[in-house]
Amino acid sequence: MKAVVITTPGGPEVLKLLEVKEPNVKDDEVLIRVEATALNRADTLQRQGKYPPPKGDSEYPGLECSGTIELVGKNVSRWKVGDQVCALISGGGYAEKVAVPAGQVLPIPSGVSLKDAASFPEVACTVWSTVFMTSKLSSGETFLIHGGSSGIGTFAIQMAKYLGIKVFVTAGSEEKLKACKELGADVCINYKTEDFVARVKEETGGKGVDVILDNIGGAYFQKNLESLGMDGRLFIIGFMGGVKAEANISLLLAKRLTVQGAGLRTRSLEKKAEIVSEVEKNVWPAIAKGKVKAVVYKYFPLSEAGEAHKLMETSTHIGKILLLA
């Protein structure tokens, strides 16, 4: 089969579509013939040699995919050859075929095309497992999403609105803020021209928000603590603004704040299966009702993975970037 190989750590040009060995399929896995995979920031870090795959997993990038089941391991009962599915994977999505633990496979949501379904597994599992399963974000609360126009952001806005939550977002251009507004965001803040802490305080009558989903990390740590209200929860899922921070941690006591962080890729198979099952129960019905839509900015063939990475690294896109196998 063909797969996108990181020939050496480096820039987008190191990605090459090469002939490689097909993956082995274990007894509790299925083999998916890939229709599409989607880019995630983690893929660009892996390409640079900064985010290696977990031991024993595929060395090729790609943390989610959609496609058709071609082979079923002998312990798998739910899925059969020919089923159209999408999946959360630890790597290997940038390929024509990928082996996936059966517990990480999802049906194609009603009303979504096979290729566009590749845009959902990673964002849905990330957002649901962090702010909903862990931070317990619930109806009637307020929620700030940094990077509202990203794949994670565009999904989180729609999911939160579906559940009756007031949504605040930050983004860096008027075009991105307009896209967030169209997806349902209530308060859209341009972080380049506005102080998001002041705007959050103003819009909440000085109280602050209940939950923040943050992919910036260090640069925003103090500001995030200031933006949270009493019993607020900060969930960190990325470090685009660095890993170091200086902060006044007395705010943690004064406001009874909780700070949490998590990655998805390194979680156990059991935990991933549990998250995927919760996503199917809670998120898939929202997609089927048309309340959460796939937001796809651009499609590239697998052979142009490097071009797709270049686009992601300009950060001009809104939503997801897909590769078609």
Side-chain angles (χ1 to χ4, degrees), residues 124-195:
C125 291
T126 295
V127 173
W128 191 260
S129 65
T130 55
V131 289
F132 294 104
M133 286 169 75
T134 311
S135 301
K136 305 282 189 274
L137 176 63
S138 50
S139 182
E141 288 196 307
T142 48
F143 177 34
L144 169 61
I145 304 159
H146 289 305
S149 60
S150 66
I152 293 269
T154 51
F155 171 82
I157 292 166
Q158 298 179 82
M159 197 63 215
K161 289 314 296 175
Y162 171 71
L163 295 169
I165 291 151
K166 184 171 183 182
V167 175
F168 295 63
V169 298
T170 62
S173 75
E174 292 312 308
E175 186 197 0
K176 288 179 176 181
L177 293 171
K178 182 169 170 279
C180 293
K181 192 97 189 142
E182 283 166 4
L183 290 169
D186 300 283
V187 179
C188 301
I189 305 163
N190 187 331
Y191 68 82
K192 290 182 178 167
T193 59
E194 292 182 85
D195 172 8

Side-chain angles (χ1 to χ4, degrees), residues 15 85 124 135 151 158 192 200 220 226 236 249 251 265 285 294 319:
L15 298 174
V85 294
S135 301
Q158 298 179 82
K192 290 182 178 167
V200 163
Y220 276 12
E226 291 170 19
I236 300 170
I249 59 173
L251 291 172
R265 190 182 199 179

Side-chain angles (χ1 to χ4, degrees), residues 95-112:
E96 290 177 331
K97 297 181 187 188
V98 64
V100 187
Q104 289 163 224
V105 178
L106 287 149
I108 300 296
S110 175
V112 177

Side-chain angles (χ1 to χ4, degrees), residues 41-58:
R41 287 272 168 196
D43 306 345
T44 64
L45 293 173
Q46 181 174 335
R47 190 200 73 225
Q48 293 162 24
K50 293 175 185 169
Y51 190 48
K55 202 168 166 47
D57 283 316
S58 172

Side-chain angles (χ1 to χ4, degrees), residues 311-323:
L311 172 61
M312 174 165 261
E313 288 176 331
T314 65
S315 288
T316 51
H317 62 290
I318 292 165
K320 297 285 284 188
I321 300 165
L322 266 52
L323 295 176

